[in-house]
């Protein structure tokens, strides 16, 4: 009879080691792995006090600028002071350079450049998240900024008719500045999706958005308050974006499953 001491022991299994790629890419940008099944669970991620305070402050600035324009306060006087200053006439040598630079804030060219880079990144990671995040951000921006543009109907400085007037409800689409808000969101999302150079990307994105907003004032295409509201509107989208990550994850799971079913269908 075989004793208990001589019974064969089951070999102990070592835990599987993580690959180098998984260590290098923390968070949602890790090496591609099988997506978990969609159980229909959806919850908003918690918001830190710092982010909540920044979101509230940005929303307050946005509302103050909007109220200042609607009530024809000193902010409108500031708009007209800069308009009558005519920066493009005082410093005409800057106009060719700044007229080219402002293209970086236009929706079409900036979106094409951003999506081209994000498509390469998505292919490298084997994930759709970079493209989905940018798509959600631009959709949210167009809805929020477009709604305010339509409601206010403000005319731009070149089409203003009465000195000292806020030029509201006249069929214009100038408030808030879409150029400025688009620059904040497009380049801000690229910094948001960065892994190794996130802080550097955030500084570059902020400098780009600030310079494009000031350039529109120099060219006379926007009022000062348009730019202030555009900065606030774009920043609100960036601050709201982390709250939409569960929605992005759900959409990514469904698209991956649909792609897999079509790929292996006979």
């Amino acid at each position: 009879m075989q004793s208990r001491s001589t019974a064969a022991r089951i070999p102990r299994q070592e835990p599987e080691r993580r690959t180098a790629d998984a260590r290098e890419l923390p968070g949602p940008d890790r090496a591609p792995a099988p997506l978990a099944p969609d159980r229909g669970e959806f919850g908003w991620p918690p918001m830190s006090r710092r982010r909540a305070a920044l979101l509230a402050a940005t929303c307050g600035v946005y509302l103050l600028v909007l109220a200042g324009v609607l009530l024809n306060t000193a902010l409108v006087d500031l708009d007209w002071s800069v308009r009558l200053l005519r920066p493009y006439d005082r410093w005409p040598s800057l106009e060719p350079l700044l007229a080219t630079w402002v293209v970086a804030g236009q929706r079409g060219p900036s979106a094409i450049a951003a999506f081209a880079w994000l498509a390469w990144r998505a292919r490298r990671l084997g994930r759709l998240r970079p493209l989905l995040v940018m798509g959600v951000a631009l959709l949210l921006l167009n809805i929020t900024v477009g709604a305010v543009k339509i409601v206010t109907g403000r005319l731009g400085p070149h089409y203003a008719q009465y000195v000292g007037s806020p030029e509201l409800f006249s069929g214009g689409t100038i408030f808030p500045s879409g150029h400025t808000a688009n620059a904040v969101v497009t380049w801000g999302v690229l910094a948001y999706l960065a892994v190794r150079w996130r802080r550097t990307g955030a500084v570059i994105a902020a400098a780009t958005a600030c310079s494009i907003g000031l350039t529109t004032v120099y060219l006379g295409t926007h009022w000062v308050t348009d730019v202030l509201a555009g900065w606030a509107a774009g920043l609100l989208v960036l601050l709201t974006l982390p709250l939409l990550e569960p929605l992005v994850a759900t959409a990514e799971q469904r698209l991956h499953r649909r792609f897999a079913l079509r790929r292996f269908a006979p």
Side-chain angles (χ1 to χ4, degrees):
M1 179 181 295
Q2 187 180 12
S3 64
R4 294 183 179 180
S5 60
T6 60
R9 295 182 178 179
I10 300 176
R12 185 176 182 181
Q13 295 181 352
E14 294 290 337
E16 185 179 358
R17 296 180 178 179
R18 296 181 178 179
T19 61
D21 293 338
R23 291 195 301 268
E24 292 178 358
L25 299 174
D29 286 336
R30 290 181 177 177
L35 296 174
D38 184 11
R39 299 177 181 177
E41 299 177 357
F42 185 88
W44 301 109
M47 180 182 295
S48 64
R49 292 183 179 180
R50 181 180 179 182
R51 183 179 294 274
L54 186 56
L55 183 64
T58 305
C59 186
V61 170
Y62 195 4
L63 293 177
L64 285 176
V65 174
L66 178 60
V69 174
L70 292 175
L71 299 177
N72 197 4
T73 63
L75 287 177
V76 178
D77 296 336
L78 175 62
D79 286 337
W80 275 103
S81 297
V82 177
R83 167 68 177 85
L84 297 176
L85 183 64
R86 297 180 183 271
Y88 49 87
D89 284 340
R90 288 178 174 266
W91 302 283
S93 59
L94 297 176
E95 186 171 359
L97 174 63
L98 295 181
T100 303
W101 172 241
V102 79
V103 176
Q106 288 183 353
R107 189 171 308 167
S110 61
I112 291 174
F115 274 108
W117 184 79
L118 291 176
W120 171 82
R121 181 173 176 82
R123 181 176 179 84
R124 182 183 178 186
L125 296 174
R127 298 192 59 179
L128 295 175
R129 178 177 176 269
L131 293 171
L132 291 175
V133 169
M134 180 62 79
V136 169
L138 292 180
L139 179 62
L140 183 61
L141 174 69
N142 292 335
I143 293 175
T144 55
V145 171
V148 178
K149 283 178 176 289
I150 294 173
V151 171
T152 56
R154 193 182 195 188
L155 294 176
H158 288 312
Y159 301 97
Q161 300 174 0
Y162 305 100
V163 176
S165 169
E167 301 292 340
L168 293 170
F169 314 118
S170 301
T173 57
I174 208 71
F175 181 89
S177 170
H179 254 84
T180 304
N182 184 74
V184 173
V185 172
T186 301
W187 306 114
V189 168
L190 293 182
Y192 172 77
L193 293 173
V195 178
R196 297 180 181 178
W197 304 99
R198 179 169 294 179
R199 291 185 178 179
T200 303
V203 172
I204 295 175
T208 302
C210 288
S211 62
I212 288 176
L214 295 176
T215 298
T216 62
V217 174
Y218 166 84
L219 295 174
T221 56
H222 279 288
W223 306 98
V224 174
T225 49
D226 296 343
V227 173
L228 294 176
W231 283 332
L235 186 55
L236 283 177
V237 172
L238 291 181
L239 293 173
T240 307
L241 201 54
L243 300 177
L244 303 178
E245 285 288 356
L247 178 64
V248 172
T250 301
E252 184 184 18
Q253 289 175 349
R254 294 180 179 179
L255 289 174
H256 269 283
R257 284 202 304 271
R258 179 171 298 182
F259 173 78
L261 290 175
R262 290 183 178 180
R263 181 177 179 181
F264 294 104

